[in-house]
Amino acid sequence: MPLQNIKVIAFDADDTLWVNETFFRKAEEDFCALLEGYMPKEEANKLLFDMEIGNLPLYGYGIKPFTLSLIEAAIVVSKGTMPIELVQKLIDIGKEMLEAPVELIDGIEITLKELSKKYRLVMATKGDLLDQERKLIKSGLEKYFHHIEIVSDKTEKHYKKLVKHLDIQENEFLMVGNSLKSDILPVLNIGAHAFHIPFHTTWAHEMINEEINHPNFRSFTKASDLLQVL
């Protein structure tokens, strides 16, 4: 469908507006290092991933749920024998992530500034409400967005609800994000547009194996490339 129909552009937050996954990878490495006396790194890392996935329906996405998973995984790895000092170190990992400075993705601010002159811009992300609001304020990007949507997950149902709330048709909506699983496929499935800007690190849970071939889909190298077509 022609891009001329687009009225609203939604941007994912983590790893689309600012760096995020890098902090999780470092936290996983720190976790494995702290538990190396109990279990080899690869086994500990897999156990942590399985713990995160198992906890998603209960805790959702974000740093605080991740920190809980760190502690739970450590209990399993150590068979309940880890000292209380280790629990504190795991909590400190989570706090360090929450307090980390916000590092904007290259070119994203100028892209938002230019696009906001022609379109309504929305930030549509999943995760912890408090954490995402904090990062948005620290980023300095809040002024470019007409609406902020923070949800527990990104599904076709969530996107349909957002489109209805914005009082537009599906083909007037464009989603921009780094996750094919969360930002692209469900959006294409409802008849909207989706632009993919990959980030160099992607959580395994967000990866898909299928190739996307859809008239409403495009992939770009960097955010500023959007200005060439919008």
Side-chain angles (χ1 to χ4, degrees), residues 129-185:
L129 176 63
L130 181 62
D131 185 34
Q132 295 293 45
E133 286 182 338
R134 183 191 298 115
K135 285 190 285 189
L136 177 59
I137 293 171
K138 289 168 71 174
S139 74
L141 301 178
E142 187 177 14
K143 59 182 176 288
Y144 299 114
F145 293 107
H146 168 82
H147 175 71
I148 308 300
E149 189 81 8
I150 302 174
V151 296
S152 58
D153 202 356
K154 288 178 176 176
T155 64
E156 292 177 30
K157 180 180 178 180
H158 285 100
Y159 284 113
K160 286 181 179 179
K161 184 177 179 180
L162 175 58
V163 168
K164 183 177 181 180
H165 177 76
L166 294 168
D167 195 27
I168 58 173
Q169 300 299 311
E170 284 81 357
N171 67 353
E172 297 171 329
F173 178 78
L174 165 63
M175 181 69 195
V176 179
N178 69 292
S179 170
L180 293 171
K181 182 178 179 180
S182 296
D183 302 320
I184 305 302
L185 288 181

Side-chain angles (χ1 to χ4, degrees), residues 34-51:
L34 288 171
L35 275 298
E36 63 181 354
Y38 298 95
M39 182 178 287
K41 177 180 177 180
E42 288 188 7
E43 291 181 35
N45 200 42
K46 183 181 185 306
L47 191 149
L48 174 59
F49 176 76
D50 292 342
M51 184 68 70

